[in-house]
Amino acid sequence: EALIEHTDVRPVGSYSCSNIMVNKIHDAMREGMRMFLRSAPLDPDRDERQAWMGDPAKDAESDAYNFDVGAFYTKWMDDVRRSQRTDGSIPDVAMYWTMGNGVEWPSVFTIIPDWYVGFYGDNRLSQRNYEAMKRWVLAMKLQHGQPDGTLEGSGYGDWCDVYSMDGKGSDAGMTSHELISTAYQYNNIRIVQHTAERLGRTDDAAMWRSMGDAMQIAFMAKFFDPKTCKYTSETQCSYVLPLAFGLTPADPALRTKIVENLVHDITVTHDNHLTVGLLGNQWLLQVLSQNGRPDVAWSLVTQTTKPSWGYMINYGSNTIWERWDYDTRDPGMNSEALLIQAGNVDAWFYQTLGGINYDPAKPGFAHILIQPHMAGDLTWVKCQFDSPRGLIVSNWTRNSQNATMNVTIPANTTATVTTPDGAAHEVGAGDWVFKSRVK
């Protein structure tokens, strides 16, 4: 009998639906989380057993819908801060000072505290780490900045993307490393800008705002073609990161064309398959949903041919692989249960299929947003989350074009419940039933 040892994190979420494959994917990801949560997000079955910083940046959000990880990630951010070198750089592995000094992996140090404010409604993690964040972002500019205002490629790229399968390409992926590093540096700058604004550091906020504006101009000039609305490399990752971080033109029509290019690459060029690796995977499904294409995200989630999560499940796996080609690749770096290719998919189940989100204007689920997407062949979803404010329930059923939503909102909160017909209902605490037509 195999037993999983992990940090004593309280279960807070449950998800199930009418699609058996999606349930199995959720279970596999949840088991991987349990194996990772060992005082730090720790590789469970590799000889390294190290707290790599790459994937937890968004894994943390999926973790949090399933387990109470507020204290866990507070502690781990202390580890990351203590890993900072005297020159301001941060290694790629927490508490291991000799490995790496790039931008992407250590971005957990800005992304997680910023997410923590919205999810838990707690600014203390950002406040505790702001000075170290500031030193790090400035060090990355000093160490990797180029004369044109962008950054040199300084990390592992979109690690283990589809183009690397069976050794056909580098494990560091096909997406321009300069594009990736510059995009992440821009995102980090905007995060520390917003942190400075929250903390009342007006001079710092002005400095970051100016730096971010200049980097946005440099990024667009170097990596974006306004005639075709394509980015350097023309990979899914090269579209996803700019869309996620706000590195797109102000013209809505051009942004729409960028989304169309991404969708075409997924649905036509790659026949409803993804090509992203560790980095692109963290933002892919949410980017699609936020830009009006949750249907495309659903097609990826329910894909069963390689590369896909469904392929892993049908192969017999109970966890998520490190590579898309675990079954055919040299096993030297080919472990199971590493979550590298889990992205932020499990949070997407709660956020998009279950429809449970917090309102960024009223963080910590003080105001709750309920808007499930009744995707594909789904006929029901049961989703609940014991939020920082109490238990939220979003259950729904669909019979042909008729839908019924059963919603529970905790005490001392409010919610906006959007039904499938597009109607928005403002409600307070209690149990609610909504019946509507499905568009």
Side-chain angles (χ1 to χ4, degrees):
E1 182 178 1
L3 301 177
I4 298 175
E5 294 184 352
H6 60 88
T7 297
D8 186 16
V9 286
R10 178 176 63 93
V12 294
S14 66
Y15 174 87
S16 61
C17 68
S18 58
N19 187 293
I20 295 172
M21 177 63 73
V22 170
N23 290 337
K24 289 181 178 180
I25 293 170
H26 164 67
D27 291 342
M29 291 182 174
R30 190 177 185 279
E31 290 304 281
M33 295 172 201
R34 293 177 64 213
M35 289 185 242
F36 252 76
L37 297 172
R38 294 185 290 166
S39 294
L42 205 64
D43 291 355
D45 62 352
R46 285 282 301 282
D47 56 353
E48 296 172 2
R49 295 185 179 88
Q50 297 183 138
W52 284 92
M53 297 189 199
D55 40 317
K58 296 305 290 179
D59 285 353
E61 186 167 58
S62 287
D63 293 344
Y65 273 102
N66 290 282
F67 302 100
D68 182 357
V69 292
F72 179 91
Y73 280 108
T74 297
K75 177 267 177 190
W76 194 52
M77 288 300 98
D78 286 345
D79 288 354
V80 175
R81 186 182 67 253
R82 293 182 179 118
S83 303
Q84 191 167 31
R85 304 182 181 106
T86 56
D87 67 356
S89 66
I90 296 175
D92 296 327
V93 180
M95 309 301 281
Y96 185 48
W97 287 266
T98 63
M99 186 176 291
N101 71 337
V103 174
E104 299 94 276
W105 265 226
S107 289
V108 296
F109 196 42
T110 60
I111 293 171
I112 287 180
D114 186 62
W115 158 78
Y116 200 98
V117 173
F119 198 88
Y120 288 109
D122 191 340
N123 198 39
R124 290 174 295 176
L125 194 57
S126 293
Q127 187 172 21
R128 177 189 300 185
N129 294 296
Y130 174 74
E131 288 298 334
M133 289 181 201
K134 178 180 177 179
R135 286 182 58 224
W136 174 63
V137 175
L138 292 175
M140 293 298 94
K141 179 183 179 183
L142 178 65
Q143 295 177 26
H144 301 298
Q146 301 187 111
D148 64 2
T150 64
L151 262 65
E152 63 184 1
S154 58
Y156 300 99
D158 194 22
W159 186 251
C160 291
D161 70 6
V162 166
Y163 302 101
S164 72
M165 285 171 52
D166 298 322
K168 294 176 182 176
S170 167
D171 286 339
M174 286 287 289
T175 306
S176 163
H177 288 201
E178 288 186 336
L179 180 152
I180 291 173
S181 291
T182 306
Y184 266 85
Q185 178 73 349
Y186 174 79
N187 189 50
N188 293 331
I189 289 170
R190 291 307 190 196
I191 288 174
V192 291
Q193 174 195 327
H194 300 150
T195 302
E197 290 168 352
R198 286 196 301 268
L199 298 177
R201 307 215 179 181
T202 54
D203 290 344
D204 276 10
M207 174 190 71
W208 296 124
R209 191 178 303 110
S210 175
M211 191 182 300
D213 291 348
M215 180 159 282
Q216 184 175 34
I217 292 170
F219 181 95
M220 296 300 288
K222 185 169 185 176
F223 301 116
F224 180 69
D225 182 347
K227 295 180 180 179
T228 63
C229 289
K230 294 180 179 180
Y231 291 89
T232 300
S233 304
E234 298 183 30
T235 62
Q236 291 173 21
C237 181
S238 74
Y239 291 112
V240 166
L241 296 184
L243 285 166
F245 300 157
L247 287 163
T248 56
D251 185 347
L254 294 181
R255 183 182 175 92
T256 298
K257 181 60 179 176
I258 293 168
V259 175
E260 290 173 354
N261 285 340
L262 170 61
V263 169
H264 185 272
D265 188 89
I266 294 170
T267 59
V268 179
T269 306
H270 292 96
D271 191 22
N272 289 312
H273 289 80
L274 47 70
T275 64
V276 291
L278 183 150
L279 293 178
N281 212 350
Q282 295 181 15
W283 312 93
L284 175 62
L285 298 192
Q286 281 78 5
V287 160
L288 287 169
S289 294
Q290 290 162 6
N291 287 279
R293 297 310 304 264
D295 57 317
V296 178
W298 173 256
S299 73
L300 297 176
V301 166
T302 54
Q303 181 62 255
T304 58
T305 56
K306 192 175 183 178
S308 68
W309 301 287
Y311 179 85
M312 299 179 192
I313 299 301
N314 284 342
Y315 187 77
S317 180
N318 293 313
T319 50
I320 302 301
W321 303 346
E322 180 173 15
R323 292 188 185 275
W324 296 113
D325 54 350
Y326 169 85
D327 57 330
T328 57
R329 191 68 178 272
D330 173 4
M333 193 209 79
N334 223 5
S335 304
E336 198 174 337
L338 272 174
L339 286 181
I340 284 178
Q341 302 301 3
N344 200 18
V345 176
D346 210 62
W348 186 83
F349 293 158
Y350 286 88
Q351 295 165 338
T352 301
L353 302 183
I356 298 176
N357 285 282
Y358 63 85
D359 182 350
K362 296 180 179 180
F365 294 89
H367 184 75
I368 300 157
L369 305 177
I370 304 289
Q371 186 175 7
H373 177 70
M374 300 182 178
D377 62 353
L378 286 179
T379 57
W380 60 266
V381 163
K382 293 182 178 179
C383 183
Q384 66 179 41
F385 169 55
D386 192 0
S387 77
R389 295 296 188 113
L391 183 65
I392 303 168
V393 177
S394 177
N395 297 337
W396 60 262
T397 59
R398 176 174 63 175
N399 181 9
S400 186
Q401 294 303 111
N402 299 309
T404 300
M405 295 171 57
N406 291 273
V407 175
T408 298
I409 304 301
N412 302 312
T413 66
T414 57
T416 301
V417 180
T418 304
T419 48
D421 59 1
H425 307 267
E426 302 298 328
V427 301
D431 298 322
W432 302 88
V433 178
F434 300 91
K435 295 181 181 292
S436 71
R437 297 283 290 173
V438 179
K439 281 188 176 181

